[in-house]
Amino acid sequence: MWSNGTCVTTTSGASVYTDTNFNTLATQEQCNGYAVTDGNQAIVLTEVGSGTMEITNQGLDTNDYSYRFAGGDYKIADAYQSTYSKIYDEIILLTCDGESQSIRDYCRSENFYYTLAYDTNNTQYTTMKSALEKAVEDGYLVKDNIKNYVCFGTNVTPCPEENLYRILGVFDGEVKLIKADYATADELGTNGEYTGIDFDNSHSYKGNLDLSLIGTYNWNVVNYDLAYQETGYRNVWSYSELNTVNLNTNYLNALAEEWQEKIAITEWKVGGFGDDNISFSELFDYEINNPNNNTGETTYNAKIGLMYISDYVYASPVEDWNVTVNDYAYAEESDPNDNWLYMGLTEWPITPHFDGVSRIENEGTVTSLMPNRGYGAIRPTFYLNSDVTYVGGSGTSSDPIRIN
């Protein structure tokens, strides 16, 4: 993966990634997955310095050569774990239209605010992000639970927000990145499948952008009828201008040529799946290894794509992995806010579904609809060439991994 170092075992038994002078370059995650200490993290071993592969059995298909980080970015500080068992609805509270409401239930009013359960002044916060950061400042929460941030597209320090990406996994020796926050309309363009700016009142947004910058896009409207006339299907990724114009023309060309060259041309799996009653632990096989031929095509080669539904789900705590697609985010034990990929806005993955497409809703649920219905925010996703090398960084948002 990062070819200028190697994985070694320390005297304490931990694996670390070091340079030739045995200076630690990365945490254990970059060597052999995320260590299980409390039963809530996934152990999935990945390609290590020697080039060998090893993977544990956590319900993942053995062809999934990736490491997964399961759980949310924030966790309760040790000093308060005997007081609180949940971040959301116990420490972070939501008031919607003057009434207390569970955070997992989408507030459809413009009149909402967050408070902190321990704050006797009942200070009101207009965004979840600001409430979370205050709880970190006060010592009730710790952040950077998932250290997988990468700075891409610039060598500027500190890394600008628009250049922050996150590692989804390592597949066949290539690191898969997703934009940490949503792409803006300036980055994706106002042509192709662009529909406008529609996220001005979203209480659930967890990012740092001004919502007026985030464009909304259709999955496939421009060539909806043409795709059907020529293929018999409407959910065909090769016909989508979100794919061809917004992602693989506008977004790609906004990157300097030297950074474009670090991105691998990828065979994206675009056949999708068609059974909402399968568990997420089965989804990877349906979606990636054996994609349904319900779009007229099963693969599409390009540099830029979107995340798969299986990417999204494996960012959840491991206990969610046996929840069905239908039940995700509604099951009593699951909360999308404990998924580090959940950003709080409606967005598109790449995954087709039956004769439609999948969508992640603003409350974190996974649904499906026709590709010409609705809109979503976009987080570009891509794989780095296998020869890309690592030069530093701890993987936090303030100290992201840096590459040559």
Side-chain angles (χ1 to χ4, degrees):
M1 164 172 143
W2 312 109
S3 60
N4 62 343
T6 187
C7 286
V8 300
T9 302
T10 67
T11 54
S12 65
S15 295
V16 295
Y17 196 73
T18 71
D19 62 16
T20 53
N21 294 319
F22 294 96
N23 296 311
T24 299
L25 297 178
T27 53
Q28 184 171 346
E29 291 93 320
Q30 277 72 54
C31 266
N32 65 343
Y34 203 93
V36 170
T37 56
D38 59 6
N40 292 324
Q41 305 294 346
I43 304 178
V44 183
L45 305 187
T46 187
E47 187 173 14
V48 296
S50 64
T52 60
M53 290 282 191
E54 187 175 3
I55 188 167
T56 63
N57 182 14
Q58 283 283 359
L60 295 178
D61 188 277
T62 54
N63 290 321
D64 180 15
Y65 295 136
S66 68
Y67 60 85
R68 304 287 192 176
F69 301 98
D73 278 319
Y74 298 85
K75 62 181 179 181
I76 300 169
D78 291 344
Y80 296 99
Q81 288 189 3
S82 61
T83 306
Y84 300 102
S85 60
K86 296 167 55 181
I87 296 175
Y88 308 97
D89 296 335
E90 289 193 15
I91 296 179
I92 311 294
L93 308 175
L94 172 64
T95 298
C96 177
D97 247 353
E99 300 289 336
S100 295
Q101 178 182 303
S102 172
I103 287 175
R104 63 190 290 175
D105 296 327
Y106 186 64
C107 174
R108 302 193 179 278
S109 169
E110 297 180 15
N111 179 24
F112 65 86
Y113 59 84
Y114 294 95
T115 55
L116 300 168
Y118 61 83
D119 179 12
T120 56
N121 294 322
N122 204 40
T123 305
Q124 297 178 6
Y125 301 89
T126 56
T127 66
M128 181 186 292
K129 185 79 170 183
S130 58
L132 286 165
E133 293 299 309
K134 179 59 176 172
V136 171
E137 179 184 330
D138 293 341
Y140 283 78
L141 299 180
V142 292
K143 64 181 296 186
D144 292 322
N145 185 34
I146 311 300
K147 297 178 177 63
N148 64 345
Y149 284 90
V150 174
C151 190
F152 185 86
T154 183
N155 292 315
V156 172
T157 302
C159 187
E161 287 280 346
E162 62 268 25
N163 293 101
L164 283 175
Y165 292 77
R166 305 191 72 171
I167 299 173
L168 285 169
V170 181
F171 300 82
D172 296 325
E174 294 179 346
V175 178
K176 186 178 185 181
L177 299 183
I178 185 170
K179 204 169 193 299
D181 210 328
Y182 299 106
T184 66
D186 283 346
E187 293 171 313
L188 291 166
T190 55
N191 55 351
E193 294 288 354
Y194 177 73
T195 64
I197 304 290
D198 295 288
F199 290 123
D200 54 340
N201 289 310
S202 179
H203 83 281
S204 52
Y205 175 54
K206 298 172 71 175
N208 296 314
L209 291 173
D210 186 322
L211 287 168
S212 66
L213 300 176
I214 302 174
T216 61
Y217 295 82
N218 296 123
W219 201 93
N220 181 29
V221 167
V222 176
N223 293 320
Y224 182 77
D225 291 330
L226 179 64
Y228 184 73
Q229 291 168 9
E230 295 189 355
T231 71
Y233 301 89
R234 295 183 173 92
N235 55 349
V236 190
W237 186 238
S238 61
Y239 280 77
S240 167
E241 289 199 357
L242 171 60
N243 165 26
T244 59
V245 175
N246 301 112
L247 289 172
N248 282 291
T249 300
N250 300 342
Y251 191 83
L252 180 62
N253 290 336
L255 296 168
E257 185 176 351
E258 64 177 304
W259 294 96
Q260 292 184 38
E261 291 174 353
K262 297 181 189 299
I263 300 174
I265 296 175
T266 297
E267 184 181 78
W268 298 91
K269 303 304 175 88
V270 293
F273 71 105
D275 186 353
D276 285 346
N277 291 312
I278 61 172
S279 69
F280 283 121
S281 60
E282 300 172 296
L283 179 58
F284 180 87
D285 185 56
Y286 279 76
E287 187 180 27
I288 308 301
N289 291 332
N290 299 293
N292 288 349
N293 187 17
N294 57 9
T295 68
E297 61 184 5
T298 56
T299 62
Y300 180 84
N301 291 341
K303 287 200 168 188
I304 311 295
L306 300 170
M307 68 173 157
Y308 297 115
I309 291 295
S310 55
D311 290 324
Y312 178 67
V313 172
Y314 284 127
S316 296
V318 67
E319 58 265 26
D320 287 352
W321 293 1
N322 287 321
V323 175
T324 66
V325 177
N326 271 333
D327 291 338
Y328 183 71
Y330 291 111
E332 183 178 348
E333 68 274 12
S334 67
D335 185 337
N337 289 293
D338 292 326
N339 177 328
W340 65 261
L341 268 174
Y342 171 63
M343 288 293 292
L345 299 183
T346 298
E347 69 177 290
W348 293 116
I350 200 171
T351 308
H353 178 275
F354 284 115
D355 59 351
V357 290
S358 300
R359 190 168 73 164
I360 298 167
E361 302 296 338
N362 46 21
E363 63 266 37
T365 56
V366 176
T367 60
S368 62
L369 67 170
M370 295 303 294
N372 67 331
R373 301 287 179 86
Y375 56 77
I378 303 300
R379 272 188 285 179
T381 303
F382 53 83
Y383 296 76
L384 298 178
N385 285 313
S386 58
D387 61 354
V388 170
T389 56
Y390 168 95
V391 295
S394 64
T396 66
S397 56
S398 58
D399 183 32
I401 292 168
R402 297 276 181 167
I403 61 179
N404 283 323

